[in-house]
Amino acid sequence: MKRFLALVFVLIGGFSTFVPAQSQKYLDSLLTIANRSNPDSNSVNALTQLQRYYFGRGLFDSTLKYAKHTLPIARKLKNYKTLARVNYNLGLIYSNLSESDSARYYLDQVVELMPLIKDTILQINWYNAYSRLSNYESDYITAVEYLMKAAELIDRSASPAVKKWMPQTYGNISHNLIAEKQFKNGIDYGKKALKIRDYPDEDRYRLSLHLDIFDAYMGLSEIVIAKKYLDSAIQINASLNNIVMSSIVANNEGYYYQTIKDYQRALSAYKFGYLLTDSTKNDFLKAELGDNIAGLYFKISNYKEAEKFAIESNGIALRLKQLKVAASTYDLLKRIASLKGDYKSAVRYSELNKRYADSASNDKTKKTILSLESKYQNGKNEQEIAELTIANTQKELAVVKRNQALLVGGIAAAAALIVLGLFYKNSRQKQIIAERETTLQQEQIKFLERQQQIVSLQSMINGQETERTRIAKDLHDGLGGLFSTVKMYFSKLQHDTPVLKDDELFQKSYTLVDTASLEVRRIAHNMMPEVLMRLGLINALKDLCDNISAGKLLNVSLEAHGMSKRMNSTTEIMLFRIIQELINNIIKHADATEAIIQFILEDSRLSVTVEDNGKGFNTKDAEEQKHAGMATIQSRVTYLNGKMSIDSQKNVGTTIMMDFLINENSLKT
């Protein structure tokens, strides 16, 4: 059974005041003004009203159309406040359409315009929008951090217009706490928000709050109290004209009736919400509802309908990377195939279910096996080296004894000089043979030592990356969560005790906690970028280049050819660390303004080039000196069985070229 909460949270906010139901004549007049051949500020106002009207009814296609129509007009008129607001609106719309990349793009445009307009309400909305994106990715800690920043802005402001945004912020905090299963704290914040009245879009927010509190009481198994809040939400929704909210309310109704085992009413509610998602094109919610419908049909033994909805929801879930829904639908399809006697399909669905449900544990198991294998090979080589060393020592000892015997024989038998000479010659030949054998053994020892170094290097690097990942996760989930909770307590303490706003020690403590929280997140991201694990090497490098270029000191561009397939995680991590270290060297030493990273994969050969326009250096002098950074890069190149060459000219720049042989095991199928 799935509860769909994210969209309740995402839908709310942004368009601060919606126009009420209007006559067609009024809408026609807005369209006439909006479509003037020479658009002016009146055209912008008309387009803004149209956006509010259609967004308020959950008609995102029309909202998107008029928002994009507004952008070029606002740019031409240099109306930066409207331009920032429209970019925010676009970010909010794409959030509701589950298109996170587009949402981030438009929200980032708002950041660039913020210094020009100094709009506190828009900044509060921006924090709320980024908390929604974090909520989509189940990163509730980060979501709460953004909301606490919004609450801080509201607390500091004396403007009544700004103060009206507190109930929305409380509501969003409540939603994230409930998503983290902190039900009682979430209910407290939700009820605080319900006590506040007379603010923009009050009915819409109150509907969201009632649904969140309903879900929290359901999580606490307090069904009777939960039903009261669900009934309130249904009553509020009846007065609204919003298709998206209606589909969300229907999903929550289905959840309630499924819990009390009234399957027919649950199925009716789910199917009503499912039909509404076709109008809103909200595939994220459609996948959840379809999975719920499929599960209910299975319970009442209607396997044909269960299979139909499971297949459709599975396709949407795979496209949107809803891993839990994908795993759930594969499990249902497995059970249906078993009942039909189609055991071949059942096995295939079972494997797919396991892949999506247990991918994290599979990856951990793989790393453990690799670590054990490295330790085994390392121990085996050490044993062989020890055995050869003992044999070599014994032979050297035998040679010494023979020489001693010759010396004693020479002194005792001085008269038999000729015989002694012949004996010495024979002994010398044996000694030469023994030395040759010793040389061969020494070479074999060196070869095994090199093999041991390679295995040790692999084990060390794998261990480093595993430890990086563990520390990054501990920092983000553990220490980051603690900081977020501390900040939440600080904020609540400050709100409940107004006198603390003037307490300098309290404010300094709050600032230090905020700074420490940001530093923990930055360190965790640098140690193991999340985008590398989720979206792959090229996307991670694009993110790295964008972050560095944003600093304006070094412009880094990335070119990738033939990199459509992802490589295995170990190869991608190694390549990312190599590029990361090279870029760090450019920033520290090259005094460059531009850098180019190029990846070319042809057949089984991967060529990687990193070039800058810096001051360059003498490569011969560099070879004679030991640099820890370059040594690390060389060790990682060696780990991937690659070769590296450096070409540098003073006052021209530096080019580093690397070649790797990529076999099929290095690519993901």
Side-chain angles (χ1 to χ4, degrees):
M1 184 189 311
K2 265 67 65 182
R3 292 162 291 164
F4 194 87
L5 294 173
L7 282 175
V8 177
F9 177 68
V10 171
L11 179 68
I12 305 303
F15 295 77
S16 58
T17 305
F18 293 86
V19 296
Q22 302 288 357
S23 67
Q24 187 61 45
K25 184 178 179 180
Y26 176 75
L27 291 176
D28 290 341
S29 67
L30 288 177
L31 287 169
T32 301
I33 299 171
N35 293 319
R36 286 176 177 173
S37 57
N38 293 315
D40 54 16
S41 58
N42 290 326
S43 304
V44 171
N45 291 334
L47 286 165
T48 301
Q49 292 295 319
L50 287 167
Q51 290 173 59
R52 290 172 176 169
Y53 178 85
Y54 286 111
F55 187 88
R57 285 147 183 80
L59 301 172
F60 297 137
D61 283 350
S62 297
T63 314
L64 197 63
K65 171 186 171 183
Y66 291 113
K68 288 191 173 180
H69 191 178
T70 312
L71 278 179
I73 300 173
R75 287 196 193 98
K76 184 178 180 181
L77 297 175
K78 296 184 179 179
N79 187 337
Y80 298 120
K81 188 169 185 177
T82 298
L83 188 61
R85 174 60 64 177
V86 174
N87 273 292
Y88 170 79
N89 293 347
L90 285 165
L92 191 66
I93 296 165
Y94 279 117
S95 291
N96 285 290
L97 294 174
S98 308
E99 297 183 26
S100 298
D101 290 341
S102 296
R104 288 184 189 278
Y105 170 79
Y106 285 107
L107 290 174
D108 287 343
Q109 304 302 308
V110 179
V111 178
E112 296 181 7
L113 293 166
M114 204 79 78
L116 300 174
I117 57 175
K118 297 180 180 178
D119 187 335
T120 303
I121 291 177
L122 181 58
Q123 190 171 0
I124 292 168
N125 286 334
W126 184 87
Y127 280 133
N128 274 273
Y130 258 95
S131 73
R132 294 180 191 109
L133 288 178
S134 299
N135 181 279
Y136 259 130
E137 296 163 356
S138 300
D139 186 358
Y140 303 117
I141 293 173
T142 303
V144 171
E145 286 180 359
Y146 281 116
L147 291 170
M148 287 302 177
K149 290 179 180 179
E152 186 178 355
L153 277 179
I154 297 170
D155 281 337
R156 289 179 180 176
S157 177
S159 168
V162 174
K163 294 291 185 184
K164 287 183 177 181
W165 287 95
M166 185 57 85
Q168 291 94 316
T169 304
Y170 275 161
N172 292 340
I173 293 172
S174 169
H175 178 87
N176 280 280
L177 289 171
I178 293 169
E180 282 191 301
K181 301 188 183 304
Q182 296 186 34
F183 297 126
K184 291 185 178 179
N185 286 339
I187 290 170
D188 288 343
Y189 270 97
K191 288 183 176 179
K192 276 185 181 180
L194 285 175
K195 290 179 182 178
I196 305 172
R197 306 304 295 259
D198 300 324
Y199 55 90
D201 305 317
E202 183 176 340
D203 285 345
R204 190 180 311 277
Y205 279 97
R206 295 183 79 79
L207 171 58
S208 173
L209 287 165
H210 279 89
L211 289 176
D212 277 340
I213 296 173
F214 156 75
D215 182 71
Y217 278 120
M218 291 293 282
L220 293 170
S221 298
E222 298 184 22
I223 309 297
V224 176
I225 301 176
K227 183 63 164 58
K228 293 179 181 179
Y229 283 94
L230 177 61
D231 290 340
S232 296
I234 294 170
Q235 185 177 356
I236 296 170
N237 186 58
S239 64
L240 294 175
N241 182 18
N242 189 296
I243 301 174
V244 175
M245 294 303 295
S246 295
S247 63
I248 294 169
V249 171
N251 190 37
N252 281 269
E253 283 188 84
Y255 168 46
Y256 170 77
Y257 288 120
Q258 185 172 351
T259 302
I260 65 173
K261 298 184 179 180
D262 187 344
Y263 296 140
Q264 288 302 325
R265 294 181 73 176
L267 190 60
S268 177
Y270 281 142
K271 291 182 77 172
F272 177 68
Y274 189 82
L275 289 172
L276 291 178
T277 60
D278 289 331
S279 301
T280 61
K281 295 184 179 179
N282 195 322
D283 285 347
F284 205 94
L285 177 54
K286 187 174 184 178
E288 293 270 1
L289 282 161
D291 188 19
N292 290 339
I293 293 169
L296 275 179
Y297 270 127
F298 188 85
K299 280 182 180 292
I300 61 177
S301 302
N302 189 339
Y303 303 126
K304 182 178 178 180
E305 288 296 305
E307 184 176 28
K308 183 183 79 172
F309 279 97
I311 290 172
E312 185 171 355
S313 298
N314 180 266
I316 299 171
L318 292 176
R319 174 165 56 83
L320 297 180
K321 297 182 180 178
Q322 292 173 271
L323 301 183
K324 290 183 179 178
V325 175
S328 174
T329 49
Y330 275 133
D331 180 64
L332 192 60
L333 289 168
K334 174 196 71 177
R335 288 188 280 166
I336 293 171
S338 296
L339 290 171
K340 291 164 63 177
D342 184 1
Y343 299 113
K344 182 177 180 181
S345 296
V347 170
R348 180 166 62 88
Y349 288 135
S350 177
E351 291 173 349
L352 289 168
N353 166 257
K354 184 174 179 60
R355 180 188 303 174
Y356 283 92
D358 301 326
S359 59
S361 61
N362 287 343
D363 184 59
K364 184 178 180 181
T365 302
K366 182 179 177 183
K367 289 180 179 178
T368 302
I369 292 171
L370 181 61
S371 175
L372 290 172
E373 183 180 1
S374 296
K375 290 178 180 178
Y376 167 74
Q377 293 292 348
N378 188 45
K380 185 177 178 182
N381 284 344
E382 285 179 351
Q383 183 179 355
E384 290 184 14
I385 290 171
E387 290 174 353
L388 287 171
T389 302
I390 292 170
N392 185 47
T393 303
Q394 290 175 341
K395 289 184 178 181
E396 287 179 351
L397 188 59
V399 171
V400 171
K401 288 181 178 179
R402 279 197 296 270
N403 288 338
Q404 288 177 345
L406 287 173
L407 182 60
V408 172
I411 296 171
L417 190 57
I418 296 175
V419 175
L420 181 60
L422 292 172
F423 184 83
Y424 179 80
K425 183 178 180 181
N426 184 50
S427 177
R428 181 57 181 166
Q429 288 177 342
K430 290 181 179 180
Q431 185 177 354
I432 291 172
I433 292 172
E435 288 174 352
R436 287 177 180 175
E437 290 178 354
T438 301
T439 302
L440 289 173
Q441 290 173 351
Q442 292 286 359
E443 289 176 355
Q444 190 174 1
I445 290 171
K446 289 179 180 179
F447 172 77
L448 289 171
E449 286 176 341
R450 285 196 297 270
Q451 291 294 103
Q452 181 192 4
Q453 288 172 356
I454 291 172
V455 172
S456 298
L457 178 62
Q458 291 175 338
S459 180
M460 179 190 70
I461 292 175
N462 288 334
Q464 286 176 346
E465 293 304 331
T466 301
E467 190 66 8
R468 279 175 181 266
T469 303
R470 185 190 66 76
I471 293 173
K473 182 174 177 62
D474 287 348
L475 284 174
H476 187 277
D477 296 345
L479 193 54
L482 287 174
F483 273 122
S484 296
T485 304
V486 171
K487 287 171 62 181
M488 188 189 308
Y489 289 161
F490 265 96
S491 181
K492 185 176 185 304
L493 183 61
Q494 182 176 249
H495 184 268
D496 294 344
T497 313
V499 71
L500 290 176
K501 292 181 181 179
D502 299 323
D503 190 313
E504 183 178 357
L505 180 59
F506 180 90
Q507 294 298 328
K508 284 183 178 180
S509 300
Y510 185 84
T511 302
L512 284 172
V513 170
D514 186 48
T515 303
S517 176
L518 291 173
E519 184 66 14
V520 166
R521 287 184 56 219
R522 184 189 66 78
I523 293 170
H525 180 77
N526 286 341
M527 293 192 75
M528 184 52 64
E530 184 181 355
V531 69
L532 176 62
M533 308 309 296
R534 290 194 298 108
L535 302 179
L537 174 65
I538 298 303
N539 286 303
L541 289 175
K542 285 179 181 177
D543 186 51
L544 177 65
C545 294
D546 290 343
N547 289 337
I548 294 171
S549 299
K552 307 297 184 183
L553 295 177
L554 177 65
N555 183 41
V556 186
S557 58
L558 174 67
E559 297 176 6
H561 306 282
M563 298 291 292
S564 57
K565 283 188 177 181
R566 286 194 60 178
M567 288 174 275
N568 64 44
S569 58
T570 302
T571 303
E572 287 191 340
I573 289 171
M574 290 301 102
L575 290 170
F576 181 83
R577 295 299 183 204
I578 289 169
I579 299 301
Q580 190 179 44
E581 185 65 33
L582 288 173
I583 294 298
N584 286 339
N585 285 347
I586 292 171
I587 294 171
K588 290 179 182 177
H589 307 299
D591 293 337
T593 58
E594 291 187 4
I596 299 172
I597 303 168
Q598 187 180 67
F599 276 73
I600 300 175
L601 179 60
E602 292 182 355
D603 297 329
S604 61
R605 180 182 176 184
L606 173 64
S607 297
V608 182
T609 305
V610 179
E611 185 175 359
D612 67 68
N613 65 347
K615 62 185 181 181
F617 59 91
N618 189 320
T619 54
K620 291 183 179 179
D621 293 342
E623 288 177 0
E624 294 174 358
Q625 300 175 2
K626 292 184 178 179
H627 296 283
M630 289 305 296
T632 301
I633 293 168
Q634 182 62 64
S635 68
R636 294 183 185 276
V637 172
T638 302
Y639 174 85
L640 295 176
N641 295 319
K643 294 182 179 180
M644 180 175 70
S645 61
I646 303 175
D647 181 20
S648 183
Q649 297 181 34
K650 287 192 175 182
N651 302 319
V652 174
T654 302
T655 301
I656 296 178
M657 293 163 286
M658 293 163 282
D659 286 308
F660 305 93
L661 289 177
I662 302 297
N663 55 38
E664 292 185 358
N665 293 330
S666 298
L667 297 174
K668 285 189 176 181
T669 56

